[in-house]
Amino acid sequence: MLRKLLIALTLVILLSIFIYPEKNIVSVFRVTDEPIVVSKGNYGQTLIVEISFTHDGLPEWLQSLTSPYPLLMLDADWIDRSPKIVETIKKKNIPAGLLGKYGKEEYNIEEFKKEVEIFEKHFNKKPLWFMTKDYEYPLELKQAAFNEEINLLSPSHIYEGNQYIHEKGAIISMQIHEDSNPNFGQLSAFIKENKFVSLEENIFGYSIKSTKMP
């Protein structure tokens, strides 16, 4: 009887590790043990896409994305007004983080917490990554994110449709804001032409794959 119980327990543990590794490992890790901003990796190139406005073609472009996916940094107000697109992101299992306001301006910590709550309401978990629109982080904001166990992120390059020179550890950001003019065909071509890895793989050098259950 005891032997059967131990075998069953072992199977449960193995299933939890190999079937849901992203849920059990990635979503709870903290990259740093102090409030610093991650701006470079070590093992490849990572693409992040900032989204705060729904341009024509954005829903179709997101639907067309294939793995390995870029990391989507989503504005809280955009999340609240775009539930259908958020559902697409969740169904496709595209990794998403929280895009905040401008850090150089006086950042209200209560507003930051409200943005985290909006993300959590739609994604049923806190964001693993947080980034401000100007990549500036006042000390109080750094500490607030650290207290929430959220990692801070800043890109090393901004993609503006120009030719990109490969750099090991690069974190490249594409911006899709109200004042931008994205060419989704060009963005798709750029993704296909370059080999990108997840942020976790870029930082730590390993890849975590998850299997969806029907």
Side-chain angles (χ1 to χ4, degrees):
M1 180 71 179
L2 180 59
R3 186 181 174 208
K4 288 182 179 179
L5 184 61
L6 288 172
I7 291 173
L9 183 60
T10 301
L11 285 172
V12 169
I13 293 171
L14 288 173
L15 284 171
S16 68
I17 291 172
F18 292 107
I19 294 180
Y20 297 107
E22 186 173 10
K23 180 178 179 182
N24 292 323
I25 300 173
V26 177
S27 63
V28 296
F29 86 94
R30 179 189 276 172
V31 173
T32 64
D33 56 4
E34 57 182 299
I36 64 174
V37 181
V38 175
S39 59
K40 202 171 187 300
N42 301 288
Y43 299 97
Q45 303 176 115
T46 295
L47 181 66
I48 60 178
V49 182
E50 306 174 30
I51 302 177
S52 62
F53 188 80
T54 304
H55 288 274
D56 289 343
L58 175 63
E60 293 79 11
W61 181 70
L62 290 172
Q63 186 65 54
S64 73
L65 287 176
T66 57
S67 182
Y69 297 118
L71 170 64
L72 306 181
M73 300 301 292
L74 308 177
D75 175 83
D77 292 336
W78 180 88
I79 291 172
D80 244 355
R81 65 176 183 263
S82 311
K84 289 185 179 179
I85 304 179
V86 169
E87 280 305 310
T88 297
I89 292 169
K90 289 164 64 177
K91 284 180 181 178
K92 290 179 68 69
N93 206 26
I94 304 175
L98 177 61
L99 180 66
K101 304 188 185 311
Y102 291 91
K104 251 184 187 176
E105 300 171 4
E106 186 175 349
Y107 210 107
N108 187 308
I109 300 306
E110 290 305 315
E111 183 68 22
F112 164 72
K113 292 181 178 179
K114 180 182 176 183
E115 291 171 348
V116 172
E117 288 174 0
I118 290 172
F119 186 98
E120 192 170 9
K121 179 182 74 173
H122 288 272
F123 287 92
N124 301 314
K125 60 183 178 182
K126 287 183 181 179
L128 187 59
W129 296 98
F130 173 78
M131 185 171 72
T132 58
K133 283 189 175 72
D134 56 359
Y135 321 126
E136 297 284 343
Y137 299 89
L139 185 59
E140 188 180 6
L141 179 58
K142 282 185 181 180
Q143 190 60 55
F146 185 77
N147 292 342
E148 295 284 347
E149 299 188 335
I150 298 172
N151 300 295
L152 301 174
L153 180 63
S154 176
S156 55
H157 301 276
I158 306 297
Y159 175 76
E160 297 177 330
N162 48 350
Q163 190 164 3
Y164 165 70
I165 299 174
H166 292 260
E167 182 181 326
K168 189 176 181 181
I171 299 173
I172 307 155
S173 180
M174 291 179 173
Q175 300 175 332
I176 302 179
H177 303 318
E178 186 172 8
D179 57 352
S180 65
N181 186 27
N183 182 324
F184 292 110
Q186 188 180 58
L187 297 186
S188 295
F190 176 71
I191 292 172
K192 288 179 181 178
E193 289 167 3
N194 295 274
K195 183 180 179 182
F196 293 110
V197 299
S198 71
L199 199 49
E200 293 76 31
E201 186 174 353
N202 195 352
I203 294 169
F204 298 114
Y206 63 76
S207 176
I208 295 178
K209 296 181 180 179
S210 59
T211 302
K212 288 185 179 180
M213 294 294 286

